[in-house]
Amino acid sequence: MLNLLVDTSTWFDLCKRRDGQRWIVALRVLVHQRDVELLVPQLVIEEFERNRQRIESTMTTGVAQRFKLVKQDLHDYGGANIEHVAKMIDDLARDVPLIGAMTTRNFDEVLELLRNGLRVEPTDAEYRAVVDRGVGKRAPLHRSRNGVADALLVEIYATAVRESDLTCNPYAFITSNSDDFSAQGEDKRNPHLDIATIFTSEGSTYALGVDGLNDVLLTHFGAEIEELFVETDFVEEPRRLWEITDAEKALFDRLWYHRSLQHEYRLREAGDEAELDRLQAIAGPARQRIEETYTRPGELGPYTEFELGVLNGKLSALRWVLGSEWGFLDT
C-alpha cells in the first residue's frame, strides 16, 4: 500500500486546477481499493477548511476582474467596431459564477478524501522534536515566520516512516511549499538539507506539487495508474449562458406548438368556430415560424406521454438554472 501525506498547499493546487478531477477521482478509486492510504493530520483539515472560502472567492473574483480590465482596455484603446467583442466578453463574464462553481466542486471532493483518510495526530515526542527544530532554526523553521504546523507535518511523517516496513508500504510526502520544505538555491524538487535524511531510505519520497503527486503515482502503479487516468481524465465544461437560453427557447417553442394544436383540437371538438378563427389568426404566424425552424422528423410531435414528460422536465430544469422556481412550465 502506498501511503501519502499531502500538504494542504498541494490539495489547494489540485482544487484550483480545471483538470483536478484526473487525480481526485483516481485517488478516490485507489483509496477504495486499499491501494493508497492518505495520512491526514487534523491540522491539514483545519487549514483546508479555514482557507477554502478565501481561495474559492479569489478564483471567481480574479477571473471576473480580468474580464473587467479587458473590457476597459477595449473601450480605451480598441477603436471602432468593438461592440461584438465587448458583447462576447459580457457573455463570458456572466458565465464566470457557473465556471467557478464547476471548479470549486473539487474542494468538496478533496475534503471528503481528507475526512475519510487515516487520521494521525502529533505525539508529545513530535512536539518536542518541533521545539528542537525551532531552537536550531532547521527547516521548515529556518525562516522568520510561524512554521510550527509545517514542522509538525515533517515530524509526523518522519515517525510514520521510521515505524514502517518501507519495502511493503512505501511513503511519500507531497507539498507545494518549496520555500519551507525544498532545497534552497538548487532543484526545488529535492528536500531541504535539514529534512533530507527522512527521504534517504528507499521507499520514502519527497515530491513537489501536483506534478510530484503525479510522478509518485506513476512510479508506484505504472500502467495501472495510466489506465485509471485515461478513464478519469475528463473536464466537464459548463454550458455557456447562450447555450442554456437557446435550449430553453427551443423547448418553449416545441411545447407551445404542441399545446396550441391541442387547444385547436379541443375547440374543434366543441364546435367553437369563432374562438377557432381567433386562435388561428393569433397562432398561425408563430406556428409557421416554428414549423420552418424545427424540421427534423418527430421534433414537433406527435409525442407520447413519456416524451411530453421529458420535454417538460427539461424545460423546468433549464428555467430553474435561469432563476425560475421549479415546475414553472408556462408557455
Side-chain angles (χ1 to χ4, degrees):
M1 178 182 290
L2 174 63
N3 299 271
L4 301 177
L5 199 163
V6 183
D7 187 11
T8 318
S9 57
T10 300
W11 286 123
F12 278 135
D13 284 348
L14 192 57
C15 289
K16 290 186 286 187
R17 292 181 62 141
R18 293 292 304 279
D19 59 348
Q21 287 289 303
R22 167 186 170 94
W23 294 277
I24 294 171
V25 175
L27 284 172
R28 186 162 59 236
V29 171
L30 292 170
V31 168
H32 177 73
Q33 295 174 172
R34 300 190 63 78
D35 292 323
V36 165
E37 180 132 77
L38 297 176
L39 308 181
V40 185
Q42 179 62 28
L43 61 92
V44 169
I45 295 180
E46 291 173 355
E47 185 177 8
F48 188 90
E49 292 178 328
R50 184 170 61 251
N51 292 286
R52 169 182 176 170
Q53 186 175 1
R54 174 181 57 81
I55 293 176
E56 285 182 338
S57 176
T58 300
M59 289 169 63
T60 302
T61 56
V63 174
Q65 183 63 23
R66 287 197 293 274
F67 278 127
K68 183 178 179 181
L69 292 174
V70 169
K71 186 177 178 181
Q72 185 62 47
D73 286 344
L74 279 173
H75 177 75
D76 293 340
Y77 311 114
N81 302 318
I82 64 168
E83 292 80 4
H84 176 65
V85 177
K87 183 180 182 303
M88 289 178 61
I89 292 175
D90 283 339
D91 290 341
L92 286 170
R94 283 194 292 269
D95 291 329
V96 166
L98 182 57
I99 294 171
M102 291 293 291
T103 303
T104 54
R105 73 172 187 173
N106 290 348
F107 287 80
D108 291 328
E109 297 184 11
V110 163
L111 186 56
E112 182 181 3
L113 280 172
L114 292 174
R115 287 173 174 168
N116 291 332
L118 176 65
R119 197 65 56 86
V120 288
E121 298 303 332
T123 63
D124 290 342
E126 288 157 358
Y127 278 116
R128 287 194 296 271
V130 168
V131 173
D132 289 341
R133 281 189 178 275
V135 171
K137 295 188 179 300
R138 290 180 285 123
L141 293 172
H142 59 301
R143 302 168 64 216
S144 57
R145 58 179 296 275
N146 183 359
V148 171
D150 293 330
L152 280 172
L153 290 184
V154 166
E155 297 302 339
I156 290 171
Y157 178 82
T159 298
V161 167
R162 284 195 302 270
E163 295 178 351
S164 295
D165 180 357
L166 298 180
T167 58
C168 300
N169 296 296
Y171 279 71
F173 180 86
I174 301 164
T175 181
S176 299
N177 183 0
S178 59
D179 289 338
D180 288 331
F181 292 110
S182 291
Q184 303 300 297
E186 53 180 283
D187 191 343
K188 292 188 179 299
R189 291 172 297 179
N190 296 322
H192 194 284
L193 287 176
D194 291 344
I195 61 174
T197 55
I198 304 172
F199 304 100
T200 54
S201 301
E202 185 174 353
S204 177
T205 302
Y206 178 84
L208 189 64
V210 177
D211 290 340
L213 171 64
N214 188 71
D215 291 342
V216 167
L217 294 174
L218 286 173
T219 300
H220 186 77
F221 294 106
E224 179 186 350
I225 192 65
E226 290 181 342
E227 182 178 343
L228 186 56
F229 280 154
V230 170
E231 295 174 357
T232 60
D233 189 14
F234 60 90
V235 178
E236 290 184 344
E237 293 289 343
R239 303 292 182 190
R240 299 294 186 258
L241 180 61
W242 65 265
E243 293 179 283
I244 297 172
T245 54
D246 284 358
E248 189 271 343
K249 181 179 182 300
L251 290 166
F252 176 95
D253 286 347
R254 294 169 65 188
L255 284 169
W256 176 88
Y257 184 85
H258 170 79
R259 293 171 184 175
S260 177
L261 292 181
Q262 292 296 304
H263 186 37
E264 178 177 322
Y265 173 78
R266 288 191 293 270
L267 291 176
R268 289 187 185 281
E269 287 287 299
D272 191 341
E273 295 297 330
E275 187 63 25
L276 182 60
D277 290 342
R278 178 176 173 274
L279 172 65
Q280 290 175 338
I282 295 173
R287 286 184 187 173
Q288 182 179 355
R289 176 187 63 80
I290 290 172
E291 289 166 355
E292 292 172 352
T293 302
Y294 306 95
T295 57
R296 293 198 303 269
E299 198 167 13
L300 294 178
Y303 304 118
T304 65
E305 290 297 319
F306 175 78
E307 289 169 334
L308 276 175
V310 170
L311 290 174
N312 280 288
K314 288 180 177 179
L315 180 62
S316 175
L318 292 180
R319 284 183 167 176
W320 182 82
V321 169
L322 292 170
S324 299
E325 296 298 324
W326 278 117
F328 176 63
L329 296 169
D330 290 358
T331 57

